[in-house]
Amino acid sequence: MRQSSGLAAVVVILAVAVVATPAMAVMTPPAGYTNAEDVNSDFIKQVGKFAVTVYKLAKGVAMSYVSTSQCWSKPTGGGADDYWMVLTATNGAGVAGSYVATVWGIPGSESKTWKLLSFNSTS
């Protein structure tokens, strides 16, 4: 009996952990976004932080970048690319949410040439 009660405790703990973690559904990028980006690269993390920071400043909301779970890009000409990304960010209370952002920019250029094109909650 002790083994089954120990197993039940593990199952309960795992269930609580799953409920507490924000669900990150796999989303399909819009047509034309054919280049899968490495979401663990410093560059893509920087683009995600840029998206959250610009949205936060524009809307006057408390928000912090957490991670990027998906990112696809497409060339737009002149060395510029559009980046479509699924992000996780926390609000002022520390509650995580999922967002889809589109960012335009020229890799390696100054921040003033980057633009946040869209930023929307996935829920």
Side-chain angles (χ1 to χ4, degrees), residues 39-60:
V39 297
N40 295 311
S41 75
D42 289 339
F43 173 70
I44 293 304
K45 289 177 186 177
Q46 188 175 25
V47 175
K49 288 176 186 177
F50 169 83
V52 171
T53 300
V54 170
Y55 182 79
K56 173 176 77 171
L57 293 172
K59 298 296 182 180

Side-chain angles (χ1 to χ4, degrees), residues 22 24 39-40 44-45 48-49 52 64-70 85-90 96-99:
M24 292 304 298
V39 297
N40 295 311
I44 293 304
K45 289 177 186 177
K49 288 176 186 177
V52 171
S64 297
Y65 172 84
V66 175
S67 64
T68 302
S69 61
Q70 290 180 254
M85 49 187 26
V86 180
L87 308 166
T88 299
T90 56
S98 181
Y99 302 89

Side-chain angles (χ1 to χ4, degrees), residues 7 14-15 18 36 44-45 56 66 69 76 80 82 97-98 101 113 117:
L7 180 59
L14 288 175
V18 169
I44 293 304
K45 289 177 186 177
K56 173 176 77 171
V66 175
S69 61
T76 59
D82 277 355
S98 181
T113 61
L117 302 177

